[in-house]
Amino acid sequence: MTAAPQRPPWRHRHLLDVDVLSVDELHLVLDRAALMAAVVERGTPLDALRGRRVVTLFHEPSTRTRVSFEIAARNLSADVTSVNVATSSVTKGESVVDTVRTLEALGAAVLVVRHGRSGVPWLVARHFRGNVVNAGDGWHAHPTQALLDLFTLLGRLGTDTLDGVKVAIVGDLLHSRVARSNLWTLTAFGAELWLCGPPTLVRGFAAWAAVLPPERRVRVTTELDEALDGAHAVMALRLQQERQQSGLLPSLREYASRYGITERRLEISDRDVVVLHPGPMNEGVEIAPDVAAGPRSLVTAQVAAGVPVRMAVLALLTEAGGDA
Ligand code: NCD
């Protein structure tokens, strides 16, 4: 038996993005998530957050992210309050900062924030004495999604590194906070990462990839076959129809035929290729229904991983005496 590796202690008070986490810190989350998965399996809540109030404050629609945060918090015995922004004072013009102060005065210890504008969780963190978790801000970051994707992928591959693993992220990269967070975690674990989509939806990424340090291996292509060739994992992204400005795409049908992930397109990938999707899916657009529901699909495993991974994050943040 090999001894468990020594990890540095967790030092963060907030989880705003994954780009500030070292590989060791990412492993801390993954190790804790594996323990939490066993807790979920046993079905007996832990006491880690007993007496603390976790508030989910979602300014955008969400099913899996909000519900899995709430289940995760309850599994740690927290009191959970879910603010329905549509019926809250936000609709009367209350600012984000006023809302944060109000929730703090009402005893919130942890705020889980989703907002359509990039950067709002950082603003919240500056005005809140407790812990803040970014549950998705604008096009910018979605750290817990990237962590659960990493947890799911490593679990399926049965390894703790992505050295030698080709991963393709395909679709609407431009509007994707999921992709922007996954870029950090996947490359930190050594994946060879390919970003693929129509020119209008990958713009900016090539210039960005060119200035990355050489150990972060990122390639950008508009040719799906190039991205899928020999790939071990393919992550399809939702075409964010609510965020498309007019003129970015000729038509949905054309998009689906050029960039949709189908069994036939996957024939050039590794024979054991797995397929991820953060959901919600537009089946028949970015992913064919038989791929989404087929044996290569990790979609359900990703959703299930949301609970232990978010339990791990909540536990680490609240037990740390961290700074940032
Ligand atoms: C994503 C999101 O909201 O960023 N979904 C999720 O959290 N699972 C991706 C998306 O909306 O396409």
Side-chain angles (χ1 to χ4, degrees):
M1 212 178 102
T2 53
Q6 282 293 319
R7 308 270 186 225
W10 181 263
R11 59 187 175 87
H12 300 280
R13 181 151 72 91
H14 309 297
L15 180 67
L16 303 175
D17 199 358
V18 281
D19 58 349
V20 296
L21 302 182
S22 65
V23 171
D24 273 334
E25 288 173 324
L26 291 168
H27 275 297
L28 269 181
V29 180
L30 297 173
D31 293 351
R32 185 66 72 93
L35 296 176
M36 294 302 185
V39 171
V40 172
E41 187 96 346
R42 276 202 307 277
T44 322
L46 298 179
D47 273 336
L49 268 77
R50 186 171 298 284
R52 300 212 214 183
R53 183 165 300 281
V54 174
V55 177
T56 57
L57 180 62
F58 276 56
H59 290 75
E60 275 191 348
S62 167
T63 307
R64 68 210 83 214
T65 304
R66 187 168 59 77
V67 171
S68 67
F69 264 113
E70 292 174 2
I71 295 172
R74 285 199 185 93
N75 285 348
L76 299 171
S77 303
D79 296 319
V80 181
T81 304
S82 167
V83 177
N84 182 351
V85 170
T87 57
S88 76
S89 294
V90 171
T91 58
K92 299 181 186 167
E94 185 173 72
S95 74
V96 172
V97 173
D98 287 339
T99 307
V100 168
R101 293 202 176 113
T102 303
L103 294 172
E104 188 172 281
L106 289 170
V110 180
L111 288 183
V112 179
V113 181
R114 168 168 289 193
H115 202 285
R117 288 189 188 274
S118 300
V120 166
W122 280 257
L123 175 71
V124 171
R126 280 214 303 280
H127 293 273
F128 183 62
R129 286 202 199 95
N131 312 97
V132 178
V133 187
N134 180 3
D137 66 314
W139 303 1
H140 178 219
H142 196 346
T144 57
Q145 181 70 42
L147 292 168
L148 74 87
D149 291 339
L150 184 64
F151 182 77
T152 307
L153 184 57
L154 291 171
R156 173 63 172 251
L157 299 177
T159 62
D160 63 0
T161 165
L162 294 175
D163 277 339
V165 175
K166 176 174 175 179
V167 181
I169 304 185
V170 180
D172 185 356
L173 281 121
L174 180 66
H175 301 103
S176 181
R177 54 192 174 212
V178 173
R180 285 188 179 77
S181 284
N182 262 291
L183 291 172
W184 294 113
T185 43
L186 295 173
T187 55
F189 272 63
E192 175 193 332
L193 185 59
W194 284 74
L195 307 178
C196 176
T200 47
L201 298 182
V202 293
R203 69 174 185 229
F205 283 93
W208 173 82
V211 297
L212 286 176
E215 66 275 15
R216 303 252 182 193
R217 291 182 300 153
V218 180
R219 302 281 302 270
V220 181
T221 179
T222 56
E223 295 302 324
L224 184 59
D225 285 346
E226 201 179 7
L228 297 186
D229 189 13
H232 303 95
V234 177
M235 181 182 295
L237 297 175
R238 183 171 70 89
L239 187 65
Q240 306 223 347
Q241 297 180 62
E242 76 279 17
R243 292 188 175 146
Q244 303 292 333
Q245 302 100 350
S246 59
L248 286 179
L249 289 173
S251 75
L252 274 189
R253 180 133 44 103
E254 158 135 15
Y255 178 83
S257 76
R258 287 203 54 188
Y259 294 101
I261 304 298
T262 62
E263 278 297 338
R264 196 184 61 72
R265 300 299 296 261
L266 289 169
E267 279 168 11
I268 56 169
S269 301
D270 187 81
R271 51 186 280 273
D272 295 325
V273 63
V274 291
V275 177
L276 299 102
H277 192 304
M281 293 186 279
N282 298 304
E283 290 189 23
V285 182
E286 70 268 2
I287 188 167
D290 58 332
V291 175
R296 311 177 176 293
S297 171
L298 297 184
V299 174
T300 313
Q302 288 171 276
V303 176
V307 172
V309 168
R310 290 174 172 126
M311 287 169 73
V313 167
L314 291 171
L316 287 166
L317 293 177
T318 51
E319 67 198 28
D323 46 2

